[in-house]
Amino acid sequence: MTVGVVGLGLIGGSMAKAYKAAGHRVLATDIDASVTAFAEMAGASDGELTRENLASCELILLAVYPAAAAKYLEENASHIDRNAVVIDCCGIKREICEAGFRVAKEHGFLFVGGHPMAGTHFSGFKYSRATLFKGAPMVLVPPALDDMQMIDRVRGLLSAPEFGSFSVTTADRHDEMIAFTSQLAHVVSNAYIKSPTAGSHQGFSAGSYKDLTRVAWLNAPMWAELFLDNRDHLMQEIDGLTAELQKYRDALAAGDRETLCALLEEGKKRKEEVG
């Protein structure tokens, strides 16, 4: 199978390496021509993905920001084979799926939204690896939720990265969930590390500090785009968290041990319930 990869950062680079390791032919491109060339030199691709060879790809993976992925589809849809499957790897789904479903319908190929749930706080091709997705969840947003034959076909095309599980959902449900499970965590981590106390944490920090600050080190332009594109869901999560934090602050201000203990027990119980 010939696989086209658009974008050679952490996600795209890891996809390219995974498919190459599985014996597939990989054509890849990045906005940075030096990265495109380096990927080929490093053995992660067999050559540059161009409009001229795009039609040879049976699977095309869009591993760029949502707006860039939508733009790529708009500009290159006429060069994509009708039997090809295009899957994006963006962190939110509504914007890219709206464009992807529409363009795919116009040109006769299949577009499926995708979100590989794996990564690190490092970005760029140099941190990519063929095993990044091994055992990780993969979320799929197909144009029809009840077309099991299509979903099985897509899962087969995604066998090389060795995902551990697949979830099928809608674009809106995905974005609602990801606002809580990923985006809010990044906002909290990034805001938490701005405490004036952070500058003198050495010798006083252990696991809790490391866990909470790990994702504060992020790709700011990428996350800013994802946050803004999903701002309705993310603002709702931030508002909910702010309201909960205010309860703890109020209990502290009042010296209310009973209420504070109840709040802590409530959080502990909730964690036990949701895992």
Side-chain angles (χ1 to χ4, degrees):
M1 177 171 67
T2 298
V3 180
V5 179
V6 180
L8 286 166
L10 175 68
I11 301 300
S14 295
M15 284 291 191
K17 290 177 179 179
Y19 279 93
K20 274 295 291 179
H24 298 287
R25 178 173 178 251
V26 174
L27 300 174
T29 186
D30 190 86
I31 192 171
D32 186 337
S34 66
V35 175
T36 303
F38 183 76
E40 183 177 358
M41 186 170 57
S45 81
D46 296 285
E48 182 178 4
L49 179 67
T50 65
R51 281 188 176 179
E52 288 67 36
N53 60 28
L54 187 58
S56 68
C57 297
E58 298 156 70
L59 173 64
I60 300 166
L61 300 168
L62 305 179
V64 291
Y65 299 177
K71 182 180 179 182
Y72 182 89
L73 274 180
E74 295 277 4
E75 295 178 348
N76 294 280
S78 62
H79 300 275
I80 297 173
D81 187 84
R82 286 178 174 268
N83 294 313
V85 175
V86 180
I87 303 173
D88 82 279
C89 300
C90 300
I92 59 166
K93 298 270 71 75
R94 284 177 292 177
E95 178 184 3
I96 183 57
C97 284
E98 185 282 325
F101 294 154
R102 173 177 49 79
V103 173
K105 185 176 181 180
E106 291 172 359
H107 293 271
F109 57 84
L110 174 63
F111 174 86
V112 175
H115 187 180
M117 301 297 294
T120 73
H121 53 285
F122 296 109
S123 60
F125 180 79
K126 68 178 180 178
Y127 296 107
S128 64
R129 61 182 189 274
T131 59
L132 180 67
F133 308 109
K134 188 172 183 177
M138 176 62 166
V139 181
L140 298 176
V141 180
L145 295 177
D146 57 354
D147 190 339
M148 293 309 301
Q149 185 175 3
M150 175 194 63
I151 293 169
D152 285 343
R153 179 190 175 197
V154 172
R155 290 179 62 175
L157 290 170
L158 290 169
S159 61
E162 299 186 76
F163 290 107
S165 64
F166 289 87
S167 299
V168 179
T169 188
T170 64
D172 190 64
R173 179 60 173 165
H174 168 277
D175 290 357
E176 178 185 15
M177 293 303 299
I178 220 69
F180 169 68
T181 62
S182 177
Q183 294 186 337
L184 182 63
H186 282 78
V187 169
V188 170
S189 181
N190 198 263
Y192 170 80
I193 198 62
K194 294 176 184 176
S195 167
T197 314
S200 54
H201 78 85
Q202 296 293 344
F204 296 89
S205 57
S208 298
Y209 171 84
K210 291 178 181 178
D211 289 345
L212 191 50
T213 59
R214 182 180 65 83
V215 293
W217 189 354
L218 45 67
N219 180 339
M222 180 189 76
W223 283 102
E225 180 172 333
L226 295 177
F227 290 164
L228 288 169
D229 287 342
N230 200 33
R231 58 185 174 271
D232 54 345
H233 291 311
L234 181 55
M235 287 191 299
Q236 184 175 340
E237 291 293 342
I238 292 174
D239 289 345
L241 176 62
T242 302
E244 286 298 322
L245 287 173
Q246 188 64 48
K247 294 178 184 178
Y248 291 81
R249 193 187 190 287
D250 289 346
L252 288 168
D256 188 343
R257 179 186 179 89
E258 183 178 349
T259 298
L260 184 59
C261 188
L263 288 168
L264 294 170
E265 288 290 349
E266 182 183 16
K268 176 184 174 183
K269 182 180 179 181
R270 186 61 176 152
K271 173 57 179 174
E272 292 173 349
E273 292 172 348
V274 303

